[in-house]
Amino acid sequence: MQRLTCPRCGQRVYFQNTFCACGTPLVFAPEAGGFVSDAPACPNRDQIGCNWAAENGGLCRSCAMTGTIPDLSVEGNRDLLAQSEAAKRWVLANLARWRWFTAADSGQRVQFRMLSEHAGPHEVPVTMGHAAGVITLNVVEADDALRALRQQQLGELYRSMVGHVRHEIAHFLFERLALLPGFLDEFRAMFGDERADYAAALLDHYNQPLAKGDTFISDYATTHPHEDWAETAAHILHLVDMTDSLMASGLNGPQIPPPGYDAYADTDAEHLLTVATSVALAVNEINRAIDNPDVYPFVLTATTRAKLGFAHRWLSQGAAMTPLPA
């Protein structure tokens, strides 16, 4: 995320802030990529702390993508929804750097169903996923303790609400990219045939999970070409955002470009991955110094770098190329 400033006093503020220390209410305009002084606030500002600008007299761009919310009368659901929506806004703001879901993007929009296992006196299972342009998220995953427990149970190296949003939105973006000439042929040569039986592949994965080896970015990516894509696409979004955030901090080091480098504008995937790897190693070392887990606990092999490069090339220019909806 780029460095953000208050439109009134110019001091540094942060993406989730609703007020500056000078007292100015902060309203984020996704088209401008920053806080502005002349935009109306989203009606959900008081309810869930949304700090984005209302559009066309209604909700903000992010909240308008949410068609279903959990029962907010159930204790805890309001806070969980607020945290989940904040993660969604973060991902959408970064995707806008590649013009996805902006005014310049005339393609189909994704819709979100924000559900909660906390549905009243009984727990209700929620399956996260994407189907036909609708993403279902389980807002209880915004709870740090519960998410850490599931991360341990599933043997995952990384699990976060931002990660869930990136993974599921990658499934949706696959459908838009699949409309472009050449995408599916290249995809199938690298990831396999996505027309293979998904339900059977998922059952096989949970009955006898495979290790990622040198070919996949994660164990879950071994499940099916669709999951390999979603995991890979989510990781390139992690890496670009992590690099962009470090550059915004002004820190420097070996293999880190000089000030002015824009990770979202870099068209050389190999260079970007080299920079991102350097950033990840540096931040991992900082985390280890205070006995925290690695911020990016993954090793990139030649094959996974090639897949990341493929995802970067198509995602970074896809919003501009995708055709108008029928």
Side-chain angles (χ1 to χ4, degrees), residues 158-179:
Y158 171 82
R159 192 178 182 94
S160 75
M161 184 54 76
V162 164
H164 287 317
V165 177
R166 285 176 173 156
H167 176 100
E168 300 304 340
I169 214 166
H171 282 303
F172 171 78
L173 294 179
F174 176 91
E175 294 190 353
R176 286 192 52 183
L177 291 170
L179 300 175

Side-chain angles (χ1 to χ4, degrees), residues 5-71:
T5 58
C6 171
R8 179 183 178 188
C9 71
Q11 69 176 302
R12 184 173 187 180
V13 291
Y14 297 91
F15 183 71
Q16 305 297 2
N17 289 162
T18 53
F19 285 90
C20 175
C22 75
T24 300
L26 296 173
V27 179
F28 185 86
E31 286 296 315
F35 291 107
V36 296
S37 58
D38 57 352
C42 177
N44 281 337
R45 185 181 181 92
D46 292 335
Q47 178 163 266
I48 59 170
C50 178
N51 63 354
W52 277 27
E55 295 188 349
N56 302 318
L59 296 170
C60 75
R61 182 173 302 175
S62 177
C63 289
M65 291 183 180
T66 297
T68 305
I69 64 171
D71 184 350

Side-chain angles (χ1 to χ4, degrees), residues 70-313:
D71 184 350
L72 300 186
S73 69
V74 175
E75 184 179 1
N77 275 351
R78 187 181 303 274
D79 287 342
L80 293 170
L81 175 63
Q83 293 175 64
S84 300
E85 286 286 349
K88 173 157 70 77
R89 290 194 300 273
W90 182 278
V91 174
L92 291 175
N94 283 299
L95 282 171
R97 302 278 293 279
W98 285 336
R99 291 171 287 183
W100 291 105
F101 311 121
T102 64
D105 177 10
S106 57
Q108 181 187 0
R109 296 295 192 263
V110 67
Q111 287 290 306
F112 288 82
R113 297 169 70 236
M114 297 297 205
L115 305 182
S116 174
E117 292 176 9
H118 305 331
H122 305 290
E123 297 292 290
V124 177
V126 175
T127 301
M128 293 193 287
H130 166 265
V134 178
I135 289 172
T136 299
L137 293 176
N138 184 5
V139 301
V140 302
E141 288 267 349
D143 181 274
D144 291 339
L146 183 142
R147 192 174 62 251
L149 176 62
R150 292 184 178 175
Q151 180 178 348
Q152 185 177 32
Q153 290 172 337
L154 296 170
E156 296 177 337
L157 295 175
Y158 171 82
R159 192 178 182 94
S160 75
M161 184 54 76
V162 164
H164 287 317
V165 177
R166 285 176 173 156
H167 176 100
E168 300 304 340
I169 214 166
H171 282 303
F172 171 78
L173 294 179
F174 176 91
E175 294 190 353
R176 286 192 52 183
L177 291 170
L179 300 175
L180 298 178
F183 176 81
L184 286 176
D185 288 340
E186 283 192 58
F187 174 86
R188 289 166 184 165
M190 182 169 288
F191 291 84
D193 192 337
E194 83 290 350
R195 294 168 294 186
D197 190 322
Y198 180 83
L202 197 63
L203 185 63
D204 288 344
H205 170 75
Y206 285 115
N207 286 336
Q208 193 171 5
L210 301 175
K212 63 184 180 65
D214 293 335
T215 309
F216 300 92
I217 197 72
S218 69
D219 291 347
Y220 191 60
T222 67
T223 304
H224 186 275
H226 272 312
E227 297 305 341
D228 193 6
W229 158 261
E231 288 286 272
T232 300
H235 273 256
I236 197 63
L237 295 176
H238 294 331
L239 290 164
V240 176
D241 188 24
M242 183 171 61
T243 304
D244 187 62
S245 298
L246 183 94
M247 294 304 302
S249 74
L251 297 176
N252 212 324
Q255 294 186 307
I256 295 175
Y261 171 73
D262 184 348
Y264 284 92
D266 194 340
T267 59
D268 185 342
E270 191 59 34
H271 175 255
L272 173 65
L273 289 173
T274 297
V275 174
T277 301
S278 178
V279 171
L281 291 173
V283 180
N284 285 350
E285 288 296 331
I286 294 170
N287 272 22
R288 291 170 189 174
I290 53 175
D291 201 23
N292 276 344
D294 286 355
V295 68
Y296 190 74
F298 301 91
V299 176
L300 303 184
T301 66
T303 302
T304 56
R305 285 175 76 101
K307 289 179 177 180
L308 288 164
F310 171 89
H312 174 264
R313 176 161 56 87

Side-chain angles (χ1 to χ4, degrees), residues 313-325:
R313 176 161 56 87
W314 286 96
L315 287 171
S316 63
Q317 59 183 332
M321 297 192 301
T322 49
L324 293 171

